[in-house]
Amino acid sequence: MAVRDEDRLLDLEVQLVPMRRRHLRSVMRIEVQVYPRPWSLSLFMSELALRSTRVYYVARVEGVVVGYAGLMMTVDDGHVTTIAVDPAWHRHKVATRLLLALARQAIARGATSLTLEVRVGNKAAQELYRKFGFRPCGIRKNYYVETNEDALVMWADDVDSDEYAERLDRIESSVPGRTLIEEPRAW
Ligand SMILES: CC(C)(COP(=O)(O)OP(=O)(O)OC[C@H]1O[C@@H](n2cnc3c(N)ncnc32)[C@H](O)[C@@H]1OP(=O)(O)O)[C@@H](O)C(=O)NCCC(=O)NCCS
């Protein structure tokens, strides 16, 4: 990485705030760039309406939305529903910051495991998830029908343990710059 990029990372201040309807235009701008089958605006709106079981954050830099991620809680599990970063902001640990915040929200709400699906070919995302302790646990054949791709199902277990809390702390301490978090309202 060039010295200038290093400086940019160290100076970076990323704000995580609960996703609101007013962010959705920016969210959709990123969504259509990064996913072959983007979620619709109405799908995001219906997710945001499910306040008791969902947590959605956007990441902002100088007021501009650069990424977002979501979590669906079931009884014991936190399911990461989506995570995406503006291509202009990749490799700035934006997804790492978002996933840290979601994992901590899931744990605070009683999750003992975290799970997600990822395209078998999406090695970048799998690498990110591996750092968070997710392991491949199965394949859902042809899950992404539009591209004929299988989904890898990944799980991180015992996320309520001290060891997992230490893992999250280690990840957090490796993230450069600052992250300011506005927590969602109590559920
Ligand atoms: C996957 C994605 C969310 C990662 O966002 P990001 O903010 O660039 O990720 P981070 O900077 O936090 O990266 C954390 C780690 O993930 C891994 N990673 C991220 N992008 C990678 C890439 N292109 N190639 C290899 N590893 C990658 C690396 O281990 C990285 O750590 P490092 O930079 O210290 O090597 C982003 O590439 C994206 O939006 N992709 C399109 C949408 C998508 O695929 N979402 C996941 C759906 S399941």
Side-chain angles (χ1 to χ4, degrees):
M1 189 183 286
V3 175
R4 271 169 173 269
D5 288 343
E6 290 270 17
D7 286 350
R8 190 181 178 203
L9 267 177
L10 290 173
D11 290 345
L12 189 60
E13 184 173 286
V14 179
Q15 238 191 334
L16 304 187
V17 302
M19 188 187 286
R20 300 186 173 96
R21 285 176 68 147
R22 64 170 175 272
H23 298 129
L24 290 181
R25 189 202 291 249
S26 309
V27 166
M28 288 303 298
R29 179 182 54 78
I30 298 173
E31 180 78 9
V32 296
Q33 286 183 71
V34 301
Y35 285 121
R37 191 170 175 220
W39 281 14
S40 63
L41 186 64
S42 58
L43 180 48
F44 276 105
M45 295 216 293
S46 59
E47 284 291 288
L48 292 186
L50 298 168
R51 290 174 178 277
S52 61
T53 55
R54 304 295 199 273
V55 181
Y56 280 83
Y57 283 109
V58 296
R60 296 192 305 191
V61 176
E62 293 174 2
V64 176
V65 173
V66 297
Y68 50 90
L71 175 81
M72 174 178 75
M73 283 301 299
T74 59
V75 177
D76 298 322
D77 306 328
H79 191 136
V80 178
T81 56
T82 187
I83 183 162
V85 174
D86 183 332
W89 285 93
H90 282 180
R91 302 309 277 267
H92 287 73
K93 306 277 188 186
V94 173
T96 300
R97 294 169 218 257
L98 285 162
L99 205 45
L100 271 170
L102 285 188
R104 291 197 168 123
Q105 278 291 322
I107 295 161
R109 291 164 190 243
T112 55
S113 306
L114 295 172
T115 185
L116 51 82
E117 287 97 20
V118 54
R119 285 169 200 277
V120 165
N122 191 348
K123 301 296 177 201
Q126 288 166 35
E127 194 48 42
L128 164 71
Y129 302 144
R130 240 175 241 118
K131 290 188 167 157
F132 280 80
F134 285 85
R135 282 168 305 132
C137 290
I139 297 276
R140 287 197 219 287
K141 291 299 270 181
N142 213 16
Y143 184 77
Y144 302 101
V145 278
E146 68 288 352
T147 52
N148 256 334
E149 260 191 286
D150 300 340
L152 188 63
V153 183
M154 300 184 83
W155 283 86
D157 293 319
D158 300 326
V159 298
D160 53 338
S161 64
D162 291 345
E163 288 77 8
Y164 197 77
E166 284 162 19
R167 180 191 280 267
L168 295 185
D169 290 345
R170 275 198 307 278
I171 294 172
E172 184 173 36
S173 60
S174 74
V175 173
R178 293 214 301 155
T179 310
L180 307 177
I181 305 181
E182 182 193 323
E183 303 293 353
R185 275 191 310 201
W187 55 95

